[in-house]
Amino acid sequence: MATDANSARITGKVQGRDIILAGPLSKDEIRDTVWWWQIPDPKTSKEREDRVHEYDDSQRDVIATLGGYYEVPDNRLTHEADELVELVYAELNPED
């Protein structure tokens, strides 16, 4: 994923892991990055390690965009998750 100095960046704290989304990204890439622990078939040992970890769920999972902080739903297949993906996609891909 190549980005230039003017690329939009969105940060988050999800399942105890810091994530950075740098555009442009597809909606599927956004979904896989935000809900990384739900990737159905991890391809690398690092992905497998990341999914099997201790997690303190006392803190909220959030994505920080220019519009504010948004809570990350537990399930990537909910309406709220779709709305978050659309919001992040629009911010990372402003020309679309």
Side-chain angles (χ1 to χ4, degrees):
M1 157 178 56
T3 60
D4 62 29
N6 296 324
S7 293
R9 288 170 41 101
I10 294 174
T11 60
K13 185 83 165 181
V14 181
Q15 293 282 310
R17 184 175 91 164
D18 293 322
I19 64 169
I20 297 174
L21 301 160
L25 291 176
S26 71
K27 291 177 184 177
D28 286 337
E29 289 171 320
I30 294 167
R31 202 174 290 276
D32 287 347
T33 303
V34 173
W35 287 276
W36 56 272
W37 74 95
Q38 293 181 352
I39 297 171
D41 184 22
K43 295 171 186 69
T44 68
S45 61
K46 176 70 173 140
E47 286 175 341
R48 281 190 290 279
E49 278 178 32
D50 283 349
R51 286 181 49 200
V52 181
H53 72 288
E54 297 279 331
Y55 171 60
D56 174 11
D57 64 356
S58 65
Q59 295 187 10
R60 287 203 217 156
D61 296 335
V62 295
I63 297 291
T65 72
L66 292 175
Y69 288 92
Y70 299 91
E71 190 166 352
V72 176
D74 289 337
N75 187 337
R76 69 191 270 158
L77 302 176
T78 64
H79 178 70
E80 292 81 11
D82 288 340
E83 288 178 349
L84 181 59
V85 169
E86 291 293 332
L87 177 82
V88 169
Y89 181 83
E91 195 164 309
L92 290 178
N93 302 284
E95 66 279 351
D96 287 352

